Amino acid sequence: MGSQEHNCPDCGQPVDTVVKRHKTLGAWVPTWVGGPCRNPDCATYVDEGAAEHEERHGPDEEPEQPGTAAAKNS
């Protein structure tokens, strides 16, 4: 694809390149975009733990507490 480096729009620090995907004509197409900023002095800084949670659960989901799914299904 390309060797384009991504920078944080607020502080200008280099950020990791991550792969997102979108559906086009029924097929999932990869898109390489800039990842979260890891500069703690930046306004858009994302803690690694928070970023890992978002990757696993999505931005609006909360992690399911142990035992709650079983309680709901009973």
Side-chain angles (χ1 to χ4, degrees), residues 7-65:
N7 295 325
C8 175
D10 288 336
C11 67
Q13 293 285 335
V15 295
D16 292 334
T17 301
V18 295
V19 178
K20 300 282 184 177
R21 63 183 190 150
H22 67 275
K23 205 167 196 177
T24 300
L25 298 174
W28 288 104
V29 178
T31 303
W32 286 262
V33 296
C37 185
R38 301 287 187 219
N39 179 5
D41 297 330
C42 181
T44 58
Y45 169 72
V46 176
D47 185 28
E48 287 190 37
E52 187 175 307
H53 168 76
E54 188 173 315
E55 287 177 7
R56 290 186 183 165
H57 302 287
D60 297 330
E61 295 181 27
E62 292 189 24
E64 189 172 307
Q65 298 295 322

